Amino acid sequence: MLETLDLKKTLSKAAYAKRMPELQEKLRGLQYAVHEAEVPVVICLEGWDTAGKGRLIKKLMEKLDPRLFRVYPGRPPSPLEQRYHFLWRYQMKLPNDGEITVFDHSWYGRVLVERCDKLVPKKVWREAYEHINEFERWMTDDGQVVIKLWMHISKKEQKQRFKDTLKDPLLRWKITKEYRRHHKQYNKWLDAVEEMLAKTDSPHAPWTVVESNDLRWARVRIFETIVKRIEDVVERRKAVPAAVSRTAAAAAATKSARAERSARDKERAREEEKKTMAGEVPAAP
């Protein structure tokens, strides 16, 4: 699948300069629409080392309200987190209703870095596919929106970005021994990524694979994807306000129905009481 992508896709500076501010402003407005509609949005940002995830997040944060937006960088689990199921630490960081959370590397580390670096046994990472699918199914059933993005670059492009980064004294620290090892094992990682995409792509939590050899193209494509997914879910929430029972919209939409049920229950109780008083129904001992 990944080998068939057209990584030669590019976007000119002029087109990027025109389109990106429009998308940033659109997303800024949607952030408040998400808050009003009480929709929790989860963005899983995955991709190769030096694919551009950090710079993309910086672009996302430029116009968004930080009170309604959180970013969690990938890191090894703490001793406490290791005591629990591997998904627990991510579940604890899921957004509140009406907020957006970005995971810069997410629970997919179990079937990527932990698999390729042999940090867990084969049996463990194989079982993780089912756990991940169940977790995402639960999230979407709960009313959360899960946007999964894979930023794909070629091995040649990654090597060039390593060289460019090493030339910058302020950024060279980012090219670690781990990055170099992963680059040498590119084909091994490619197999793991292909399997991950195949086994965890679903109608409720689909993957969007983004051609990222050209950073301008990648950023615009990702912004467009996020905007479209959020627009769709906000429209659905407005069309069916009672879909998520815990929301204020659901409470307002079902207020009359709940009042009618309450009135019927009270009337039924009065009728039963009258029958009891009249001797038609024996009183409870």
Side-chain angles (χ1 to χ4, degrees):
M1 172 185 169
L2 294 176
E3 293 179 349
T4 64
L5 291 177
D6 181 8
L7 293 176
K8 295 181 180 179
K9 291 180 178 179
T10 61
L11 189 67
S12 68
K13 288 184 179 180
Y16 178 80
K18 180 178 184 300
R19 185 64 174 145
M20 181 51 68
E22 295 173 350
L23 289 168
Q24 285 181 304
E25 191 62 26
K26 183 70 173 178
L27 188 58
R28 188 179 74 86
L30 284 172
Q31 184 184 28
Y32 295 114
V34 161
H35 182 61
E36 182 179 356
E38 299 176 272
V39 177
V41 178
V42 180
I43 300 175
C44 295
L45 185 58
E46 300 285 350
W48 295 99
D49 298 331
T50 68
K53 298 183 292 297
R55 282 175 284 183
L56 171 72
I57 291 172
K58 183 179 178 181
K59 272 293 175 188
L60 281 171
M61 296 176 66
E62 282 181 359
K63 296 290 183 70
L64 295 183
D65 189 331
R67 296 171 297 178
L68 305 173
F69 184 81
R70 295 288 183 274
V71 177
Y72 293 104
R75 57 170 181 77
S78 68
L80 173 63
E81 291 167 341
Q82 289 177 349
R83 293 170 53 191
Y84 298 94
H85 190 277
F86 80 98
L87 291 170
W88 176 79
R89 63 181 175 132
Y90 300 105
Q91 186 176 357
M92 294 299 101
K93 294 181 175 66
L94 291 176
N96 296 319
D97 289 348
E99 296 181 2
I100 299 173
T101 291
V102 176
F103 289 100
D104 178 9
H105 292 303
S106 63
W107 43 91
Y108 285 98
R110 175 55 54 100
V111 295
L112 289 177
V113 66
E114 293 182 26
R115 167 187 175 174
C116 294
D117 286 350
K118 299 182 179 179
L119 300 176
V120 296
K122 184 176 182 178
K123 180 178 183 294
V124 171
W125 62 257
R126 281 199 175 280
E127 290 175 345
Y129 292 122
E130 183 178 353
H131 297 167
I132 288 170
N133 286 329
E134 290 174 353
F135 180 52
E136 292 174 353
R137 175 81 263 180
W138 166 78
M139 282 196 288
T140 53
D141 285 348
D142 187 54
Q144 301 181 53
V145 182
V146 182
I147 304 173
K148 303 189 302 191
L149 302 157
W150 174 262
M151 298 184 70
H152 190 62
I153 59 176
S154 65
K155 186 176 182 178
K156 181 180 178 181
E157 176 65 22
Q158 187 182 57
K159 184 177 181 179
Q160 184 59 50
R161 292 188 186 182
F162 280 11
K163 291 180 178 179
D164 294 341
T165 303
L166 288 170
K167 292 177 183 177
D168 189 332
L170 298 179
L171 296 177
R172 63 178 55 161
W173 62 271
K174 298 177 69 174
I175 308 302
T176 63
K177 291 182 179 179
E178 184 182 54
Y179 272 32
R180 295 175 189 273
R181 185 177 70 253
H182 293 169
H183 176 69
K184 291 178 181 179
Q185 299 172 337
Y186 184 93
N187 291 334
K188 175 182 177 181
W189 275 72
L190 190 65
D191 292 339
V193 174
E194 289 275 16
E195 186 171 3
M196 175 196 76
L197 296 174
K199 291 194 172 183
T200 59
D201 187 67
S202 62
H204 54 274
W207 277 103
T208 298
V209 180
V210 182
E211 305 89 343
S212 302
N213 271 15
D214 181 78
L215 290 173
R216 292 190 293 268
W217 169 274
R219 289 173 195 161
V220 167
R221 176 85 170 89
I222 288 172
F223 265 80
E224 289 175 342
T225 299
I226 294 173
V227 165
K228 180 66 168 60
R229 290 288 305 279
I230 291 178
E231 283 180 334
D232 289 347
V233 75
V234 168
E235 287 302 314
R236 287 199 302 271
R237 188 64 60 87
K238 288 180 179 178
V240 190
V244 181
S245 61
R246 67 175 177 273
T247 64
T254 58
K255 183 177 180 180
S256 60
R258 286 185 285 111
E260 290 176 4
R261 285 198 301 270
S262 179
R264 287 198 301 269
D265 291 343
K266 289 179 180 179
E267 181 62 27
R268 189 179 301 112
R270 285 195 292 268
E271 292 296 327
E272 292 297 328
E273 184 178 2
K274 289 179 182 179
K275 291 180 181 179
T276 301
M277 295 294 291
E280 296 180 18
V281 177

